[in-house]
Amino acid sequence: MNQVQTTNRSAEEFLKGLWKENPVFVAVLGMCPTLAVTNTAINSLAMGLATAFVLVFSSLLVSSFRKLIPKQVRITAFIIIIATFVTVVDFMLAAIVPQVHKELGAFIALIVVNCLILGRQEAFSSKNPVGLAMADALGMSAGFTFALLSIGSIREILGSGSLFNIPLFGSGFEPWVIMVLPPGGFFTLGFLLLFFNWLQKRRKAQMRATPSTVKP
Amino acid sequence: MSETNIQEQPITETESEPGSGRLIATLGIAGFFSGLILVGVYLFTLPMIQANRAQALERAIYLVLPGSTSFKALALGNGSLVPAEEVPAEKGGEEPARIFAGYDKAGKLVGFAIPAEEPGFQDIIAGIFGYSSGQQAIIGFEVLDSKETPGLGDKIKKDAGFQGNFQALAVTPEIIAVKKGEKRAANEVEAITGATISSKAVVRLLQKGVEKWKPAIEAYIQAQNQ
């Protein structure tokens, strides 16, 4: 494989996480943080970035040591690596942004069991070289953060009438309180899943109509 | 490219079984480095986390005791209030419950900031309130920690009307919650519509806090005046 192909492959691995295999909108992974902490845009962004940190560094280590970890204890080893980075994130957030840490609460510790992270280690990082594993982890992280931020922004705008704590509407706006409550998470996720499926269906229909287009 | 040749190499069954020593060593090494990293990060972030906590507490004390610029921590030792440093830690290393006497610029006592906890709608509501023994009234209240329903119960933190209850709330004969717009006496708190349980929890928190600390505070002030 030459240099150009390697770069292409990395770009492909990155982009698939962002769109085609988006962990939330397509694979529907990591639902616990997706529903629980997306009541404001700030919380969503913080959770997305915390998960990204854990995923990227776990993939880096798992991919680097993939030939040294015996397959019998690989899950245990992955979990040790993931849990270490989750605890690091927990301490760092408490030290640097105590307000965000308080808002996210137990959900930071629960990143350990986000199946997106363990899933990527098992399905990708443990079988691919560091460069590709990094591209995959960054893409998945970006896709996850993008999904959380979309849900969080919609819920904050409708449920609190603000975005990133900046009021958007005048005092005449009556917030849809339900959007910041747990049902609002399900509503928003449901409508977004519907929207992304509709997009995908439409794209497939277009591709069938114009078969000359090679790249999907 | 040697690196790419290895990719997606399936783990075949014919691969030789690693010995149990190797398995234990792998996990042992992983655990060792994990521990090393965690202790390092813990020691690095601990002073920052403690500073954040102290800062949040200090901010809350000055908020609930308007006009105060300095404070002194007090705790119960042998039934009376003494500086917190003089009270030994309880068995199990737990710190004794503390309250804070706030003073203004001239060194005059403004009141006492009293932390208290009470079960709310979802979870424990932790708050701190300012108590003036001169006025026999609560002069400020702040929520330190709560998981009340966003948009409803969490108004106990943000709602200006609700917070307005605590500028001069008489504690005698006792604090009671009333419906919004029905406040008639100085000892009544107007509850938040749609968050009655949270509002009542705050009232209980205040009432229990006052009951617990009032005798000791009065004895303390008498002793100071003598």
Side-chain angles (χ1 to χ4, degrees):
Chain A
M1 219 187 271
N2 62 39
Q3 195 64 45
V4 181
Q5 273 172 317
T6 317
T7 322
N8 274 347
R9 173 99 201 267
S10 298
E12 215 172 274
E13 298 298 353
F14 177 81
L15 287 176
K16 75 161 193 252
L18 207 55
W19 194 253
K20 216 165 61 191
E21 288 177 28
N22 186 293
V24 174
F25 293 138
V26 179
V28 199
L29 291 176
M31 284 299 105
C32 162
T34 303
L35 291 166
V37 295
T38 52
N39 52 354
T40 65
I42 295 223
N43 287 357
S44 311
L45 187 63
M47 178 48 82
L49 293 179
T51 310
F53 175 88
V54 176
L55 178 52
V56 168
F57 280 94
S58 303
S59 290
L60 177 69
L61 284 196
V62 167
S63 175
S64 307
F65 295 118
R66 68 187 186 282
K67 278 172 275 175
L68 298 174
I69 301 173
K71 72 174 194 306
Q72 290 84 346
V73 293
R74 67 186 191 286
I75 304 280
T76 324
F78 298 164
I79 286 289
I80 292 175
I81 293 171
I82 295 168
T84 306
F85 285 113
V86 170
T87 316
V88 168
V89 163
D90 196 10
F91 286 146
M92 295 303 262
L93 287 178
I96 299 164
V97 278
Q99 201 53 45
V100 171
H101 183 264
K102 214 165 109 180
E103 293 271 331
L104 297 183
F107 291 100
I108 300 174
L110 286 176
I111 297 175
V112 177
V113 290
N114 187 329
C115 55
L116 162 65
I117 297 176
L118 186 60
R120 287 336 283 170
Q121 310 315 324
E122 175 74 357
F124 202 91
S125 305
S126 57
K127 295 171 188 157
N128 286 288
V130 177
L132 286 181
M134 284 291 89
D136 174 76
L138 285 169
M140 285 291 165
S141 304
F144 189 68
T145 310
F146 161 71
L148 257 58
L149 196 55
S150 325
I151 300 172
S153 303
I154 294 173
R155 289 180 71 187
E156 190 181 343
I157 291 172
L158 296 178
S160 314
S162 61
L163 186 60
F164 288 103
N165 281 333
I166 304 161
L168 294 181
F169 313 112
S171 53
F173 178 76
E174 184 60 44
W176 306 7
V177 172
I178 192 152
M179 293 307 281
V180 290
L181 299 179
F186 286 98
F187 285 143
T188 315
L189 180 66
F191 278 113
L192 284 175
L193 284 177
L194 207 63
F195 174 69
F196 277 90
N197 272 306
W198 172 77
L199 270 188
Q200 222 148 25
K201 230 176 191 171
R202 203 183 62 157
R203 185 185 288 184
K204 265 183 204 155
Q206 272 174 352
M207 263 168 36
R208 246 173 294 160
T210 49
S212 54
T213 334
V214 186
K215 274 265 171 192
Chain B
M1 291 299 242
S2 61
E3 219 183 20
T4 41
N5 290 339
I6 314 147
Q7 75 184 53
E8 283 172 10
Q9 197 177 58
I11 302 165
T12 48
E13 289 302 318
T14 51
E15 209 176 344
S16 63
E17 286 287 315
S20 49
R22 176 142 179 252
L23 300 184
I24 292 169
T26 308
L27 292 182
I29 293 166
F32 174 75
F33 281 104
S34 164
L36 219 55
I37 293 171
L38 290 188
V39 171
V41 174
Y42 176 71
L43 291 179
F44 174 70
T45 52
L46 187 63
M48 290 192 255
I49 294 172
Q50 279 172 339
N52 287 339
R53 274 196 207 134
Q55 210 179 15
L57 181 67
E58 194 173 308
R59 199 190 62 89
I61 291 171
Y62 292 146
L63 266 176
V64 298
L65 295 173
S68 60
T69 53
S70 65
F71 67 87
K72 197 163 77 179
L74 301 170
L76 279 180
N78 293 328
S80 60
L81 282 173
V82 289
E85 308 87 72
E86 292 172 17
V87 181
E90 285 165 30
K91 268 182 215 162
E94 234 176 88
E95 280 205 0
R98 296 187 300 171
I99 64 169
F100 307 90
Y103 301 90
D104 65 8
K105 267 191 200 135
K108 212 172 128 264
L109 182 70
V110 178
F112 295 86
I114 304 173
E117 289 183 350
E118 187 63 26
F121 186 63
Q122 307 265 18
D123 202 347
I124 301 280
I125 299 173
I128 185 167
F129 65 91
Y131 171 71
S132 160
S133 61
Q135 298 173 43
Q136 293 273 306
I138 281 162
I139 51 174
F141 169 69
E142 274 286 305
V143 175
L144 293 176
D145 200 5
S146 88
K147 295 189 175 59
E148 300 301 282
T149 320
L152 296 170
D154 78 341
K155 282 189 185 164
I156 57 169
K157 289 191 263 192
K158 304 172 192 161
D159 193 271
F162 186 67
Q163 283 289 335
N165 281 311
F166 310 112
Q167 277 157 12
L169 175 66
V171 299
T172 46
E174 63 169 346
I175 308 164
I176 47 175
V178 295
K179 273 190 190 162
K180 201 177 170 113
E182 288 183 4
K183 184 178 161 89
R184 301 277 179 271
N187 66 328
E188 290 176 345
V189 172
E190 278 190 9
I192 300 165
T193 314
T196 318
I197 294 175
S198 306
S199 307
K200 283 188 174 161
V202 170
V203 168
R204 277 200 313 277
L205 177 150
L206 297 174
Q207 182 62 32
K208 283 187 184 170
V210 169
E211 274 167 22
K212 183 177 170 195
W213 292 97
K214 202 176 159 203
I217 287 174
E218 271 162 13
Y220 176 77
I221 288 174
Q222 248 175 9
Q224 296 276 304
N225 288 342
Q226 272 165 12

